[in-house]
Amino acid sequence: MMKLSHSPASPYARKVMACAIARGIEARIETVATNPHTSPAGLLAVNPLSKVPALVGEDGVSYFDSPVICEYLDTVGDAPPLLPPAGAARLRALRQQAFADVIMDAAVGRRGESLRPKEDARDAVMARQAAAVARSVDLLEAEVDHLSGPLTLGTIAVAVALGYLDFRVAADAWRTGHPRLATWYESVAKHRALAETMPVG
């Protein structure tokens, strides 16, 4: 049995669980709700950086950072891989995941800054993060045709990132000006891997 330290509101943890569900291996994962900000001993034993998600695999090895965890999960079970083995398709999925992770990094960082006392420097950081998200969403709209087809690690990551924007910065209304991306998202969000991992908290 694998053990996943996670936070219910973390988009990175959601990406990991969505990949597990897409591969049909979620029953092989025990989830442990964890607050990384308190650096609990159980988490530090798995990830000395005190970040979630962190996974202890069936091989007994601890994996952390969601791209690494998802790549490990892609080796578990018999389902077709979410990450194509080589060539242009693999690079496309990795590139999509990178864009999604940039969106998540910026949105999570912006969320953290919003909880701090108001000051000009904080506002400048938040504005920079919001601009990075806006440019990334623009690019996804332009490349939306590459998101179609069976789920990959890249498309799962993109859907999770857009879902996190809805969850934490809904007022930004990312769908405005991005009709094709919005249509794609509404369709993919119905997949069990995404519908059952909606963020809470």
Side-chain angles (χ1 to χ4, degrees):
M1 176 72 74
M2 294 175 277
K3 182 176 288 188
L4 179 71
S5 299
H6 77 107
S7 169
S10 166
Y12 312 103
R14 182 187 181 197
K15 179 171 69 168
V16 166
M17 283 307 301
C19 286
I21 292 171
R23 289 190 53 76
I25 58 173
E26 69 273 20
R28 295 162 69 168
I29 299 176
E30 174 190 354
T31 57
V32 181
T34 305
N35 181 354
H37 302 292
T38 62
S39 297
L43 176 60
L44 294 180
V46 178
N47 182 359
L49 300 175
S50 192
K51 291 185 175 183
V52 294
L55 179 82
V56 177
E58 292 180 337
D59 54 5
V61 175
S62 62
Y63 297 94
F64 39 91
D65 196 31
S66 61
V68 176
I69 296 173
C70 290
E71 186 144 3
Y72 167 74
L73 292 178
D74 222 21
T75 70
V76 177
D78 300 321
L82 294 170
L83 191 58
R90 179 183 180 87
L91 289 172
R92 183 180 302 119
L94 290 172
R95 184 170 177 269
Q96 289 167 344
Q97 179 179 218
F99 266 108
D101 285 351
V102 165
I103 291 171
M104 289 186 269
D105 290 347
V108 169
R110 183 176 168 194
R111 163 73 174 172
E113 290 294 329
S114 74
L115 301 176
R116 298 179 186 275
K118 185 172 177 60
E119 58 181 54
D120 290 344
R122 185 209 71 161
D123 291 347
V125 169
M126 291 177 63
R128 184 173 184 274
Q129 291 164 335
V133 169
R135 291 191 299 269
S136 297
V137 174
D138 285 347
L139 184 139
L140 290 170
E141 171 74 11
E143 299 186 1
V144 70
D145 290 342
H146 294 307
L147 297 173
S148 61
L151 285 182
T152 67
L153 176 53
T155 56
I156 287 173
V158 169
V160 167
L162 296 175
Y164 190 75
L165 296 181
D166 283 343
F167 179 55
R168 288 300 193 205
V169 288
D172 284 2
W174 65 263
R175 291 169 179 79
T176 301
H178 307 103
R180 299 170 68 218
L181 185 61
T183 297
W184 172 82
Y185 176 74
E186 295 308 320
S187 175
V188 77
K190 297 173 185 175
H191 192 288
R192 190 171 73 87
L194 295 158
E196 293 184 6
T197 58
M198 292 296 290
V200 296

